[in-house]
Amino acid sequence: MSVQFKSTRGDKTLITASQAIVKGISGDGGLYVPCAIPKIDFELKKILEMSYKELAYEVLKLIISDFTEEELKYCIEKAYDSKFDTDLIAPLKTAGGEHFLELFHGKTLAFKDMALSILPYLLKTAAKKNGVNEKIVILTATSGDTGKAALEGFADVDDTKIIVFFPEDGVSPVQKRQMVTQTGKNTCVAGIKGNFDDAQTAVKQIFTDKKLNEELKSKGYIFSSANSINIGRLAPQIVYYFFAYAQMVKNGEINFGEKINFTVPTGNFGDILAGYYAKEMGLPVDKLICASNDNKVLYDFFKTGIYNINREFVVTSSPSMDILISSNLERLLYHICENTETVKSLMENLGSDKKYDFKVSSDYVIGEYASHKETFDAIKELYDKSGYIIDTHTAVAFAAYKKYKDKTKDETKNVVVSTASPYKFAKDVCRAIDSKYDSLDPFEALDILSDLWKEDIPKTIKGIDKREILHKTVIEKSEIKTFIQNYLH
Ligand SMILES: *Cc1c(COP(=O)(O)O)cnc(C)c1O
């Protein structure tokens, strides 16, 4: 049975998964959602015997259902190989009695690799299936991690170009250095004077700019997206929720069939939405705890029913979550109300009034947040107790989970989704452990962290401060469109 996709904002056209992957976003500005979320068609217990790749096939075939078995298996084989530094791909670690799903074993040390290792293959296969002959230009707005993961995924992939915009002053020194040293003749990286929301809004406008799209089509280009607005980014993220569950059973933490919670450090709401899909598909999940940092729009929203971005944007130590407009929430709203007119008007309100009202009736997506201090304390406490080190984003989730548990006394087993290697945010992690590191050089911090953790610095960032800077452009946010036009001319 083939799953069809439609826009969250009312465009009635139904398209296949492969078409949705090529397009990225609907022409009416909406996001593509499956008309019905498929249920797993295999016996759940089988996941206990599956490797990551086998599981990826069983899950992805349900969503990306117009790919042939051969096509899908080819993409999976290419993606989850020795680029990852562990055969498990997504190992579950237990430290201090808590469980962490480590999603940072790919090339760029953040969970974005889980999807961006496969997206280029999905996209090329999808383009071929649909007879697309144009070159695909991947436009990406990044809060720090998507940019690098997309660059690694698409660098030197034939018939593609990739353009990345990142907030010049809103990413960690390691994140920035990873992006501006990117090689590959089809890569383009620019800093913008603005924040992630500015970059994402500009990029979304470009996708729906009919005139620009026609102009580029005549030059042989089409745009697509590597952000989690692309269903090809979202679908691969569902897999690791199943994989985490299997490991919890195999490690004897839970009985098969028992429900568990996941706490997810959230920015654009992509990761946690994949958890929502996993639950809807049949994974025994009880609560999904949506953890925010000091930019706690989502926490306020789940609590009050008012999504309000009329507020100060805070630059935090978890920059990949410094987001006020969480794009994928639009998909959750749609799945809850199943009414595209409602979603469309909410999104219009967000555009005009910077807020909207919508009471989420779901009792299993729960908002929580952690302040700067709570986040740093969580890193230190876990380190002192177990020697295990988590990054600042994972620490937001861990601290938020502890608050949730204190408030609710919920004893359900919980998995904290660990989204980045602490090396990407080495300086802040060291500072959290000991304030004597407050004025540490951000690259020196890599060595200090390695000593504290007794783990080697990952190869992909070792000596990164000595690599040549290849991308030096910084532009105003208003110049994004012209910049793209000039680059493609
Ligand atoms: C992107 C990112 C997040 C937020 O994930 P969303 O899917 O945008 O909610 C959290 N932590 C890290 C390290 C990230 O890179």
Side-chain angles (χ1 to χ4, degrees):
M1 205 184 54
S2 174
V3 179
Q4 291 195 298
F5 289 80
K6 66 175 180 189
S7 165
T8 47
R9 298 198 193 170
D11 184 330
K12 296 275 183 298
T13 324
L14 297 183
I15 63 173
T16 61
S18 66
Q19 288 167 333
I21 291 170
V22 173
K23 290 192 71 172
I25 186 170
S26 165
D28 63 356
L31 306 187
Y32 288 115
V33 280
C35 294
I37 300 172
K39 301 279 177 211
I40 53 168
D41 63 351
F42 51 89
E43 201 192 327
L44 185 64
K45 213 160 196 169
K46 292 214 172 110
I47 67 173
L48 303 181
E49 269 108 59
M50 289 182 202
S51 68
Y52 195 87
K53 286 190 224 179
E54 288 162 347
L55 185 56
Y57 175 70
E58 291 302 328
V59 172
L60 287 178
K61 81 177 199 311
L62 299 171
I63 308 267
I64 308 176
S65 56
D66 66 322
F67 273 42
T68 64
E69 177 173 348
E70 194 191 349
E71 287 167 342
L72 201 50
K73 286 192 169 160
Y74 164 80
C75 295
I76 292 167
E77 280 301 322
K78 287 291 196 180
Y80 303 112
D81 60 6
S82 58
K83 285 194 280 303
F84 287 79
D85 68 6
T86 154
D87 289 342
L88 268 178
I89 307 294
L92 185 88
K93 291 276 167 71
T94 298
E98 308 286 342
H99 312 291
F100 298 90
L101 178 65
E102 292 187 348
L103 299 180
F104 52 77
H105 289 275
K107 258 188 167 173
T108 76
L109 311 179
F111 91 96
K112 305 299 197 292
D113 290 323
M114 300 303 295
L116 284 160
S117 305
I118 194 168
L119 185 66
Y121 299 100
L122 295 177
L123 192 62
K124 285 215 75 177
T125 308
K128 204 165 139 203
K129 280 179 91 67
N130 289 288
V132 173
N133 296 317
E134 289 88 356
K135 281 197 172 157
I136 300 174
V137 182
I138 306 295
L139 280 190
T140 306
T142 183
S143 58
D145 290 326
T146 290
K148 180 61 182 180
L151 286 162
E152 278 295 338
F154 284 97
D156 293 325
V157 172
D158 292 341
D159 300 322
T160 68
K161 285 186 187 291
I162 167 150
I163 310 177
V164 169
F165 298 103
F166 71 92
E168 171 69 9
D169 298 317
V171 299
S172 86
V174 174
Q175 285 180 312
K176 182 167 172 178
R177 195 60 70 98
Q178 280 183 305
M179 288 187 277
V180 297
T181 57
Q182 178 67 45
T183 56
K185 56 186 185 308
N186 62 339
T187 63
C188 169
V189 179
I192 61 154
K193 294 181 198 151
N195 60 37
F196 171 75
D197 290 316
D198 297 323
Q200 176 163 255
T201 303
V203 164
K204 275 182 159 182
Q205 272 161 7
I206 286 165
F207 284 124
T208 49
D209 183 331
K210 284 214 176 68
K211 213 166 144 244
L212 180 64
N213 278 271
E214 275 160 23
E215 180 189 321
L216 288 175
K217 203 160 175 159
S218 70
K219 297 204 158 65
Y221 293 114
I222 55 164
F223 287 128
S224 190
S225 167
N227 285 99
S228 51
I229 52 179
N230 193 322
I231 200 80
R233 246 299 285 280
L234 213 50
Q237 297 181 174
I238 301 169
V239 178
Y240 51 72
Y241 285 90
F242 282 88
F243 198 64
Y245 187 86
Q247 291 181 81
M248 285 291 278
V249 176
K250 286 199 274 192
N251 296 353
E253 300 293 344
I254 52 165
N255 295 318
F256 178 77
E258 191 177 329
K259 285 187 175 178
I260 61 172
N261 294 341
F262 284 96
T263 306
V264 190
T266 298
N268 221 4
F269 210 77
D271 198 358
I272 192 166
L273 186 77
Y276 175 86
Y277 282 155
K279 180 175 164 81
E280 293 291 318
M281 289 171 82
L283 189 69
V285 175
D286 193 35
K287 301 280 192 292
L288 289 165
I289 300 152
C290 169
S292 301
N293 64 20
D294 280 312
N295 293 295
K296 56 186 184 54
V297 190
L298 286 164
Y299 168 75
D300 294 338
F301 172 63
F302 286 112
K303 203 169 154 191
T304 64
I306 302 171
Y307 195 92
N308 188 348
I309 61 168
N310 287 302
R311 64 175 75 209
E312 196 193 330
F313 180 96
V314 191
V315 175
T316 73
S317 58
S318 43
S320 303
M321 297 161 66
D322 290 346
I323 294 176
L324 298 182
I325 308 174
S326 300
S327 286
N328 281 291
L329 185 64
E330 178 169 347
R331 287 191 166 110
L332 181 72
L333 299 178
Y334 170 75
H335 289 301
I336 289 172
C337 73
E338 294 193 331
N339 184 329
T340 53
E341 284 308 306
T342 306
V343 176
K344 186 169 178 229
S345 83
L346 295 176
M347 294 305 128
E348 280 167 5
N349 290 349
L350 187 62
S352 55
D353 307 341
K354 308 266 177 263
K355 63 175 183 166
Y356 61 79
D357 286 16
F358 181 93
K359 190 75 200 147
V360 175
S361 53
S362 161
D363 55 356
Y364 61 85
V365 186
I366 301 204
E368 194 43 87
Y369 82 101
S371 67
H372 174 77
K373 180 169 187 310
E374 288 163 337
T375 304
F376 269 33
D377 287 350
I379 294 174
K380 181 169 173 53
E381 197 190 301
L382 185 66
Y383 176 67
D384 288 345
K385 196 166 161 188
S386 67
Y388 184 66
I389 300 187
I390 51 176
D391 98 287
T392 45
H393 302 74
T394 308
V396 167
F398 182 42
Y401 167 65
K402 289 198 293 180
K403 285 167 83 172
Y404 163 81
K405 195 174 169 187
D406 273 350
K407 281 183 199 164
T408 59
K409 312 284 178 238
D410 182 355
E411 291 293 332
T412 311
K413 290 281 167 60
N414 177 72
V415 172
V416 173
V417 177
S418 183
T419 47
S421 158
Y423 284 106
K424 282 194 109 160
F425 307 94
K427 180 175 173 181
D428 279 327
V429 170
C430 291
R431 287 175 59 214
I433 291 172
D434 195 326
S435 60
K436 75 177 184 206
Y437 297 122
D438 276 356
S439 46
L440 193 63
D441 171 82
F443 296 104
E444 226 173 280
L446 297 174
D447 292 307
I448 307 279
L449 180 58
S450 175
D451 289 343
L452 290 170
W453 198 11
K454 302 181 180 62
E455 292 264 346
D456 291 337
I457 302 175
K459 280 201 294 292
T460 53
I461 54 162
K462 208 172 159 73
I464 194 167
D465 52 323
K466 294 181 190 72
R467 282 181 215 158
E468 191 190 349
I469 294 178
L470 302 168
H471 305 272
K472 294 182 181 144
T473 313
V474 179
I475 58 172
E476 298 289 339
K477 59 190 182 193
S478 57
E479 294 168 342
I480 290 181
K481 181 169 164 179
T482 351
F483 177 81
I484 295 170
Q485 283 171 314
N486 290 341
Y487 176 67
L488 294 176
H489 277 192

